[in-house]
Amino acid sequence: MRKDGSRFFGNDVLTTIRDEKGHVGGFSEIIRDVTGRKALEEALFAEKERAQVTLNSIGDAVLSTDLSGKVTYLNLVAERMTGWSCAEAVGRPLAEVFNIIDGETRETAQNPMELAVQLSKTVTLPSKCILVRRDGFESPIADSAAPSTIEEGRLPVQ
């Protein structure tokens, strides 16, 4: 509590002061006002929760990767379609989790994420692509991938 009676969030650091023989001679205390940081953390948490609810409410599968092609997120629809839970998929290569093949040739389809990053634009897979779920079940899909970057101080807008 401040002198004026207002409350704040503080970070308290208490240090023991010892003499040359190791006996405790006193204490030093530093309290830092972290109210602004706490408010920012709470706002960020609320925004993350809103984004999570939104991504899990839409009917499309949403998968995110880092630039190295490792999965960072799957929404609930993507979990059902791929057979992978988000927790299991995170850190795995996209091609392992999002296994797509050409419906006619049965060959592995081109990785849409790599192509989107390479071209710096949204790309659509050719028709007749098939997603092979983790358990082997196959379903035809229409797929697109869009690159997204986070610049310093700015979040992606899609």
Side-chain angles (χ1 to χ4, degrees):
M1 186 176 296
R2 293 185 183 95
K3 287 181 182 180
D4 66 2
S6 63
R7 296 184 177 271
F8 69 99
F9 286 97
N11 179 3
D12 188 11
V13 178
L14 185 63
T15 307
T16 305
I17 300 173
R18 298 180 183 272
D19 63 20
E20 59 279 348
K21 294 182 182 180
H23 297 107
V24 176
F27 299 93
S28 170
E29 183 175 27
I30 299 172
I31 300 174
R32 290 188 182 96
D33 184 344
V34 295
T35 304
R37 184 174 73 190
K38 183 72 173 167
L40 185 59
E41 288 172 357
E42 289 173 356
L44 185 59
F45 179 79
E47 187 63 29
K48 181 182 175 193
E49 289 296 307
R50 277 191 295 278
Q52 191 82 32
V53 167
T54 300
L55 287 172
N56 283 326
S57 297
I58 62 175
D60 294 331
V62 177
L63 295 93
S64 298
T65 69
D66 59 19
L67 283 177
S68 69
K70 306 279 190 212
V71 173
T72 58
Y73 175 77
L74 277 83
N75 72 349
L76 295 175
V77 174
E79 287 184 339
R80 284 192 298 276
M81 289 182 71
T82 64
W84 289 84
S85 72
C86 185
E88 293 171 316
V90 168
R92 294 183 182 270
L94 177 63
E96 181 180 348
V97 175
F98 188 64
N99 181 13
I100 50 175
I101 60 173
D102 183 297
E104 293 176 348
T105 66
R106 307 292 296 168
E107 292 185 18
T108 301
Q110 184 173 14
N111 183 324
M113 184 277 304
E114 288 175 357
L115 188 58
V117 170
Q118 178 185 0
L119 300 175
S120 294
K121 67 177 191 175
T122 301
V123 296
T124 304
L125 283 180
S127 61
K128 299 185 176 136
C129 275
I130 294 175
L131 172 66
V132 181
R133 196 169 58 199
R134 190 176 185 185
D135 64 5
F137 179 81
E138 298 181 2
S139 57
I141 60 167
D143 180 48
S144 67
S148 173
T149 59
I150 298 178
E151 297 175 19
E152 188 174 325
R154 287 183 40 189
L155 294 177
V157 177
Q158 294 191 21

